[in-house]
Amino acid sequence: MQVCLNGPRGAADSAVVPLTPEAMAEEAARAVAAGATNLHVHPKTPCGRDTMSARVVAATLEAIRARVPVPVGVTTGAWAEPDPAARLARVREWTVLPDHASVNWHEPGAEEVAAALLERGVGVEAGIWSGTDGAARFARSPLGPRVLRVLAEVTDAEAAAESARALLSGLGRAHGRPVLLHGEDAGAWPVLRLAGRLGLATRIGLEDTLALPDGRRAASNAELVRVGLGEYGRAARDGTPAV
């Protein structure tokens, strides 16, 4: 179970979203104690915007690694650095390296960013979003067999389980790489249960949803992880419906 600590969310979304390195480290420690085995985090500027700045990435990784022993990954999403050339330069400027980084395959410059990460020894999570041509691009990519895993990201919250199955079908063998399946917002819990039924890795956290399955606001990433592990386990054991 990967925990996604914050995503592009900010203070306006929820007061419990961690925005500073110290807050991220505290949330990471609690989430790992709750059962998370991997971390995905979006380093933030002081004003709460996602960034790929070498200074901020280093501070974030160092703070988290001082508290937890599990692998830590960061985003390379285009919203953090819109210009593909600048995004590539940022990766090459990093002084402290994450264990892995997500690369959204439908974004311009994705393969160049992935190649730069691989050259630096950073694992690549290939983000394949539903509703994009990411799966088709990934199928043609010579880098496909070298990625750490595929993040099958279901962006459709209304018909999430159906979209998830279509996305997995489009991915096919995914170059033989492991697949982590997850949804977002109203689709987060149905897709997590589907991952349990299919025996796929998944993730949960304040990036993907602010709510528990019953609609109550989550108090923390740790609460989402605890509930998520229970939902996943029940789906895997007894076929809890994915919708």
Side-chain angles (χ1 to χ4, degrees):
M1 177 75 71
Q2 184 182 81
V3 61
C4 45
L5 294 177
N6 52 8
R9 299 190 195 272
D13 297 297
S14 172
V16 299
V17 174
L19 302 177
T20 67
E22 295 74 20
M24 293 178 213
E26 180 63 26
E27 281 287 292
R30 292 177 178 176
V32 169
T37 56
N38 192 282
L39 296 172
H40 173 75
V41 66
H42 290 209
K44 305 279 187 180
T45 65
C47 64
R49 188 180 71 84
D50 284 9
T51 181
M52 292 175 62
S53 156
R55 179 182 59 81
V56 179
V57 169
T60 301
L61 292 173
E62 288 170 347
I64 292 173
R65 284 172 171 159
R67 299 292 303 275
V68 299
V70 303
V72 185
V74 301
T75 185
T76 66
W79 57 87
E81 185 57 75
D83 179 66
R87 205 177 317 137
L88 185 60
R90 289 292 199 185
V91 167
R92 290 172 173 161
E93 291 166 356
W94 286 348
T95 55
V96 177
L97 297 178
D99 297 287
H100 49 79
S102 61
V103 179
N104 298 319
W105 228 258
H106 66 281
E107 293 177 349
E111 296 217 21
E112 290 79 5
V113 170
L117 289 165
L118 291 169
E119 287 170 9
R120 301 207 66 189
V122 178
V124 171
E125 294 181 308
I128 312 299
W129 291 22
S130 63
T132 73
D133 64 351
R137 290 189 182 192
F138 185 69
R140 298 190 299 266
S141 175
L143 299 179
R146 299 176 59 194
V147 305
L148 176 65
R149 61 179 152 257
V150 172
L151 298 183
E153 309 198 38
V154 180
T155 60
D156 181 357
E158 298 303 317
E162 292 84 350
S163 291
R165 292 185 184 278
L167 178 57
L168 293 173
S169 177
L171 279 169
R173 292 190 62 255
H175 293 287
R177 306 314 301 144
V179 174
L180 185 157
L181 176 66
H182 74 99
E184 61 183 39
D185 295 321
W189 294 107
V191 175
L192 180 145
R193 296 185 194 108
L194 178 60
R197 294 182 68 183
L198 298 176
L200 296 175
T202 192
R203 79 179 197 185
I204 200 69
L206 293 169
E207 172 174 357
D208 285 350
T209 182
L210 300 174
L212 298 168
D214 62 7
R216 289 181 298 117
R217 279 276 177 144
S220 65
N221 281 290
E223 183 176 29
L224 287 169
V225 169
R226 281 194 296 271
V227 174
L229 286 169
E231 293 283 312
Y232 183 94
R234 280 190 291 275
R237 287 193 305 272
D238 58 28
T240 299
V243 291

